[in-house]
Amino acid sequence: MESPTAMSVIAVEQPSARIPLSVKIGFSAFMAVLVPVYTYCYGPTNFLYFCDVCLILTLIGIWTESALLISMCAVGLLVPQTFWVIDFLAHVAGYSLTGMTDYMFDQNLSLFLRFLSGFHGWLPFLLLFLVWRLGYDQRALIAWSVLAWALLLICYFVMPGPRPDPGMTPVNINYVFGTSDRAAQGFVPPLVWLAGLMIGLPLLAFIPTHFMLRRAVPPV
């Protein structure tokens, strides 16, 4: 039988988890439903969207309690998903600001699918909670930016672009051809649009979020 002193040492060497087990189990249960349903309905390429990539990183991050993975998701999603929430609430009130949440009101999509897609509304708040519990890892800005650039290039050069009737197949993933899934934007040459995303997203979304988190959240 171990002495009280030895047990105290073990307790010090094995600190309690920083993320509640209920959060880990609840999020894992959600992912256990979403991943197979999304794969069946949309196909595996759907997981190239920034938000879906962050779901997977968050799942890994909450179990490993990785401040870097959670911080990457926070840097990448807090600004875009805040706009999603604003657009959704505006749509509920009878206004369409950007059209990015129109699919949530599309009666052709099952209510269950739209319910699953509601994660866009609560994920940013979960990420804020997680990054507060784990601390902010400042390496997240570079790490997420590099990952985002890789995803944009893959989606532009490999994945399908907009089409008049896209159906359930993911097209124009991460808006690399414009804001519409039915037609490419025609304001600037396609590569200029892509370059604008690769430059604009870090400048307007990732970097401001990085400085906000660095100022507001305890560092790792």
Side-chain angles (χ1 to χ4, degrees), residues 98-112:
T98 66
M100 67 188 304
T101 63
D102 286 354
Y103 69 95
M104 291 293 290
F105 302 88
D106 184 353
Q107 299 299 320
N108 293 318
L109 294 176
S110 73
L111 184 60
F112 182 62

Side-chain angles (χ1 to χ4, degrees), residues 28-49:
S28 299
F30 173 77
M31 289 294 288
V33 176
L34 179 139
V35 170
V37 171
Y38 267 29
T39 302
Y40 176 78
C41 293
Y42 300 120
T45 59
N46 193 79
F47 292 96
L48 290 173
Y49 281 105

Side-chain angles (χ1 to χ4, degrees), residues 50 53-54 57 72 75-76 140-149 206:
F50 289 166
V53 169
C54 282
L57 293 181
M72 287 172 62
V75 164
L141 174 62
I142 298 300
W144 176 259
S145 296
V146 171
L147 177 58
W149 288 335
F206 307 158

Side-chain angles (χ1 to χ4, degrees), residues 58-81:
T58 300
L59 180 63
I60 299 171
I62 62 173
W63 283 105
T64 59
E65 299 200 346
S66 169
L68 176 59
L69 291 180
I70 298 300
S71 298
M72 287 172 62
C73 296
V75 164
L77 283 196
L78 287 183
V79 169
Q81 297 300 274

Side-chain angles (χ1 to χ4, degrees), residues 17-35:
R18 291 171 289 174
I19 300 175
L21 182 61
S22 59
V23 174
K24 295 178 178 180
I25 293 176
F27 188 78
S28 299
F30 173 77
M31 289 294 288
V33 176
L34 179 139
V35 170

Side-chain angles (χ1 to χ4, degrees), residues 6 14 19 22 89 117 120 155 164:
Q14 297 177 343
I19 300 175
S22 59
L89 294 176
S117 293
H120 295 86
C155 293

